[in-house]
């Protein structure tokens, strides 16, 4: 049966999201219909709404950092049952493609990295097909997701916290642990102290880094960064020289590991140039596809490594349930990321908070458990 429920529709780019009633089709073969309980608001949602190149990716339902409960399952679904707690995933894990079979990557050939096509979306609003964002669309009370992009999680997990593992926290935390492979006793620099950057700080700490230098132009972020393990704070605006030079002077030639968590190509270059020659590793974590990035070849010839990270390198269906368990065992922080709890109807306020840098994560309550 079709079901209806409240939803936030992005009818066109750069316009406020509109609360509507949506029709959600029943799940087809290998699909799961999920009742979303809570969703974070992530910068990638804003990127698609305000900056993305795909103007034909509208109308759509944004949101990709959610958690909920299985409402119904389609045919041939055997590993999920109504009532299971789940996190929908914007990176699928089919388990069959060459990427899934390789330990070198967490990509999957069957994944969605933008909006679904009209033929694949399960959403209709006012008689029009509405596209699903990144195959998830968590700004809706109900969504339909392929089972290869759903993680079943521990039944006692609080959904209004573990939803953050659907994107931001997993992305930053894994970038430090899995992609950079931060080493015990090392010196790290994290550029940008939003949720992703703070999660990267946490990853550096849990990996045993000795010095973790947090970098942001907003000085209020330092107290938050200390909670996650930052040992020092640098505000580039306090210096009249390049931030890479400041870091070289602080660290006797540069940091061992740097993580760019902004999504700004100039900051990406600064992060690379902040690394020590010989073995420094710099990881691009912030999401952008707007501009080319550049550096002098000598930076890499001298022994630095420049690499990227998507979803923290976690194979999604395997990694997310383990992260949930680590949170329940108090090895991973989540509560400290949540600065605002809001309702679905307050989404445009949440977007504004993110644009002005006045929040780390706003979590929207979507449906009652």
């Amino acid at each position: 049966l079709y079901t209806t429920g409240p939803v936030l529709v992005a009818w066109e780019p750069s316009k406020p999201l509109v609360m509507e009633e949506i029709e959600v089709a029943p799940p087809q073969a290998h699909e799961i219909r999920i009742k979303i309980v809570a969703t974070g608001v992530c910068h990638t949602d804003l990127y698609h709404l305000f900056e993305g190149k795909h103007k034909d990716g509208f109308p759509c339902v944004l949101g990709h950092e959610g958690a909920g409960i299985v409402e119904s399952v389609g045919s041939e679904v055997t590993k999920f049952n109504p009532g299971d707690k789940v996190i929908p995933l914007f990176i699928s894990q089919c388990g069959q493609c060459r990427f899934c079979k390789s330990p070198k990557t967490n990509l999957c050939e069957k994944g969605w990295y933008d909006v679904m096509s009209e033929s694949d979306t399960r959403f209709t609003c006012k008689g029009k097909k509405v596209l699903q964002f990144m195959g998830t669309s968590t700004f809706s009370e109900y969504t339909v997701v392929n089972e290869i992009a759903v993680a079943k999680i521990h039944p006692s997990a609080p959904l209004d916290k573990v939803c953050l593992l659907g994107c931001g926290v997993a992305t930053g935390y894994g970038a430090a642990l899995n992609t950079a492979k931060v080493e015990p006793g090392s010196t790290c620099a994290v550029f940008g102290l939003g949720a992703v950057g703070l999660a990267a700080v946490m990853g550096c700490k849990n990996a045993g880094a000795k010095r973790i230098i947090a970098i942001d132009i907003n000085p209020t972020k330092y107290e938050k960064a200390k909670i996650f393990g930052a040992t020092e704070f640098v505000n580039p605006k306090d210096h009249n020289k390049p931030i890479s030079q400041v870091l070289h002077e602080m660290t006797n030639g540069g940091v061992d590991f740097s993580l760019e968590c902004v999504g700004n190509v100039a900051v990406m270059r600064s992060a690379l140039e902040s690394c020590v020659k010989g073995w420094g590793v710099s990881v691009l974590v912030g999401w952008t596809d707007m501009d080319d990035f550049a550096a002098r070849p000598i930076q890499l010839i001298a022994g630095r490594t420049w690499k990227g990270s998507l979803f923290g390198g976690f194979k999604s269906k395997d990694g997310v349930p383990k992260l949930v368990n680590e949170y329940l065992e108090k090895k991973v922080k989540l509560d400290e990321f949540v600065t605002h709890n809001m309702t679905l109807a307050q989404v445009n306020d949440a977007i504004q908070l993110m644009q002005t840098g006045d929040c780390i994560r706003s979590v929207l309550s979507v449906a009652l458990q």
Side-chain angles (χ1 to χ4, degrees):
L1 295 174
Y2 278 77
T3 188
T4 60
V7 69
L8 294 164
V9 178
W11 287 107
E12 51 187 316
S14 304
K15 295 288 171 67
L17 305 186
V18 181
M19 185 73 97
E20 304 279 11
E21 189 84 1
I22 201 160
E23 276 191 354
V24 183
Q28 296 183 14
H30 298 291
E31 292 180 346
I32 299 169
R33 190 158 62 187
I34 303 166
K35 187 181 180 96
I36 298 292
V37 172
T39 180
V41 180
C42 174
H43 220 281
T44 311
D45 299 312
L46 275 64
Y47 180 85
H48 182 82
L49 185 61
F50 294 108
E51 299 173 37
K53 297 175 182 175
H54 308 289
K55 301 305 180 198
D56 54 350
F58 295 87
C60 70
V61 176
L62 296 171
H64 62 285
E65 191 179 76
I69 296 167
V70 174
E71 180 264 351
S72 57
V73 299
S75 63
E76 299 178 59
V77 174
T78 58
K79 294 180 179 175
F80 295 86
N81 294 295
D84 288 346
K85 285 189 177 180
V86 293
I87 292 177
L89 307 162
F90 71 89
I91 287 194
S92 56
Q93 186 185 347
C94 73
Q96 302 299 316
C97 71
R98 57 186 173 143
F99 293 134
C100 283
K101 287 179 175 176
S102 169
K104 296 178 182 178
T105 182
N106 64 336
L107 300 184
C108 173
E109 286 188 325
K110 296 180 182 173
W112 291 99
Y113 300 108
D114 198 45
V115 293
M116 278 185 163
S117 64
E118 277 200 21
S119 60
D120 289 303
T121 184
R122 302 289 171 255
F123 289 163
T124 311
C125 184
K126 296 181 175 174
K128 287 184 84 169
K129 285 276 192 182
V130 177
L131 306 177
Q132 285 180 246
F133 181 58
M134 295 179 112
T136 53
S137 290
T138 57
F139 290 175
S140 172
E141 184 176 3
Y142 292 97
T143 189
V144 177
V145 183
N146 193 294
E147 65 176 334
I148 64 172
V150 181
K152 188 192 297 190
I153 59 170
H154 196 285
S156 68
L159 298 177
D160 60 340
K161 302 295 190 296
V162 298
C163 62
L164 301 185
L165 295 170
C167 183
V169 174
T171 294
Y173 186 66
L177 288 172
N178 302 328
T179 311
K181 293 184 166 60
V182 169
E183 296 165 2
S186 60
T187 296
C188 301
V190 176
F191 290 74
L193 300 175
V196 173
L198 292 171
V201 168
M202 179 169 68
C204 293
K205 182 180 191 306
N206 286 9
K210 185 178 176 186
R211 293 178 71 187
I212 303 169
I213 305 165
I215 300 145
D216 203 289
I217 55 173
N218 181 347
T220 65
K221 296 284 181 75
Y222 182 41
E223 289 307 312
K224 201 75 173 170
K226 278 200 279 194
I227 295 169
F228 293 100
T231 58
E232 297 150 81
F233 179 78
V234 179
N235 184 342
K237 288 186 171 179
D238 293 342
H239 301 272
N240 56 8
K241 57 180 101 167
I243 184 68
S244 56
Q245 193 178 332
V246 174
L247 291 170
H248 276 251
E249 291 167 5
M250 288 173 65
T251 59
N252 187 29
V255 300
D256 301 308
F257 300 95
S258 69
L259 296 110
E260 194 279 353
C261 302
V262 180
N264 177 302
V265 293
V267 180
M268 291 172 185
R269 181 170 184 161
S270 295
L272 174 72
E273 293 173 349
S274 299
C275 284
V276 68
K277 64 185 178 183
W279 61 72
V281 174
S282 188
V283 180
L284 315 185
V285 192
W287 179 269
T288 184
D289 192 26
M290 297 291 285
D291 305 294
D292 293 344
F293 69 118
R296 294 284 174 92
I298 189 64
Q299 295 288 339
L300 302 186
I301 293 168
R304 296 175 185 86
T305 301
W306 213 1
K307 59 207 294 197
S309 184
L310 183 64
F311 196 56
F314 288 108
K315 285 190 181 283
S316 57
K317 283 174 73 81
D318 295 340
V320 167
K322 289 177 185 170
L323 287 170
V324 169
N325 292 343
E326 286 183 27
Y327 165 71
L328 294 173
E329 294 160 6
K330 298 193 163 34
K331 293 176 184 172
V332 168
K333 291 179 165 65
L334 289 179
D335 303 41
E336 294 82 356
F337 288 95
V338 181
T339 50
H340 297 77
N341 287 287
M342 306 168 90
T343 64
L344 195 61
Q346 292 174 294
V347 67
N348 293 307
D349 297 332
I351 287 171
Q352 191 164 6
L353 283 169
M354 181 159 267
Q355 286 176 311
T356 55
D358 291 326
C359 75
I360 303 300
R361 261 302 185 267
S362 297
V363 173
L364 309 178
S365 59
V366 183
L368 294 174
Q369 283 180 251

